[in-house]
């Protein structure tokens, strides 16, 4: 027995590990051949965090992504100018059709180095004014009239 374990121990361990992993995967699949509903929900896409727990802005805590709804095609403004006031809808245009009327709200804006500039760039009246050239990353919340909603990350190039 000792000789068998010395020669084939690694192979036996690999087979037992593979069987354990296959057993876990089989346990995650329901009788219809799909992943467990809770796993599917986690794999669907971005989740909007409840900011009530993190002490953030309470106005965003009520926003939740709707299941089964897709976000519209979005088009980011290609030419964003320095020191020019923009509304959210000026920076992001949406596709046509039933999803054309979409509420757009910037949740966070970071510079290329990753520093959070949300408080500096978004004014109290909701206007966004970029004061430095560069590439900015933003998390944007889209809310359609037909009930679809969710958040996406976009990149904005700002130049003089």
């Amino acid at each position: 027995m000792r000789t068998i374990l010395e020669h084939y121990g690694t192979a036996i361990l690999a087979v037992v590990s593979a069987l354990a992993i296959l057993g876990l995967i089989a346990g995650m699949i329901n009788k219809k051949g799909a992943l467990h509903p809770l796993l599917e929900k986690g794999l669907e896409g971005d989740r909007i965090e409840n900011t009530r727990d993190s002490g953030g802005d309470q106005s965003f805590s009520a926003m939740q992504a709707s299941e089964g709804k897709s976000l519209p095609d979005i088009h980011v403004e290609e030419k964003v100018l320095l020191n020019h006031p923009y509304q959210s809808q000026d920076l992001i245009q949406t596709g046509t059709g039933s999803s054309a009327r979409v509420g757009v709200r910037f949740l966070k804006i970071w510079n290329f180095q990753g520093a959070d500039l949300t408080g500096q760039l978004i004014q109290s009246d909701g206007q966004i004014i970029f004061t430095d050239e560069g590439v900015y990353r933003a998390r944007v919340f889209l809310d359609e009239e037909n009930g679809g909603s969710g958040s996406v990350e976009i990149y904005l190039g700002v130049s003089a």
Side-chain angles (χ1 to χ4, degrees):
M1 183 69 174
R2 184 175 189 185
T3 307
I4 292 173
L5 286 178
E6 286 176 359
H7 290 317
Y8 301 108
T10 309
I12 292 171
L13 184 61
V15 169
V16 169
S17 298
L19 289 174
I21 290 171
L22 288 174
L24 284 173
I25 291 172
M28 289 186 241
I29 298 174
N30 63 16
K31 293 178 183 177
K32 296 178 183 174
L35 283 175
H36 192 274
L38 291 177
L39 291 172
E40 281 183 4
K41 189 171 184 175
L43 295 174
E44 282 177 359
D46 291 9
R47 291 185 180 194
I48 299 172
E49 297 146 11
N50 186 354
T51 56
R52 224 178 265 180
D53 297 335
S54 61
D57 186 354
Q58 298 298 321
S59 65
F60 296 131
S61 64
M63 295 186 286
Q64 296 179 355
S66 300
E67 290 185 37
K69 306 280 183 175
S70 63
L71 292 174
D73 294 330
I74 62 170
H75 307 283
V76 179
E77 179 64 34
E78 291 180 17
K79 189 172 183 178
V80 180
L81 300 174
L82 279 178
N83 300 316
H84 185 277
Y86 290 99
Q87 293 293 331
S88 299
Q89 291 81 3
D90 297 337
L91 295 171
I92 298 178
Q93 294 83 34
T94 59
T96 58
S98 63
S99 64
R101 293 189 204 142
V102 176
V104 178
R105 187 176 311 165
F106 278 75
L107 301 176
K108 282 198 171 216
I109 302 174
W110 300 272
N111 65 6
F112 194 71
Q113 291 78 23
D116 186 0
L117 302 175
T118 307
Q120 297 170 5
L121 300 178
I122 300 177
Q123 309 300 310
S124 59
D125 61 355
Q127 289 187 335
I128 302 168
I129 301 175
F130 293 95
T131 55
D132 293 320
E133 286 185 316
V135 177
Y136 292 85
R137 180 174 56 117
R139 176 157 299 273
V140 181
F141 183 80
L142 303 172
D143 190 18
E144 296 181 26
E145 277 189 346
N146 66 4
S149 61
S151 64
V152 294
E153 280 195 8
I154 61 167
Y155 290 90
L156 297 164
V158 178
S159 61

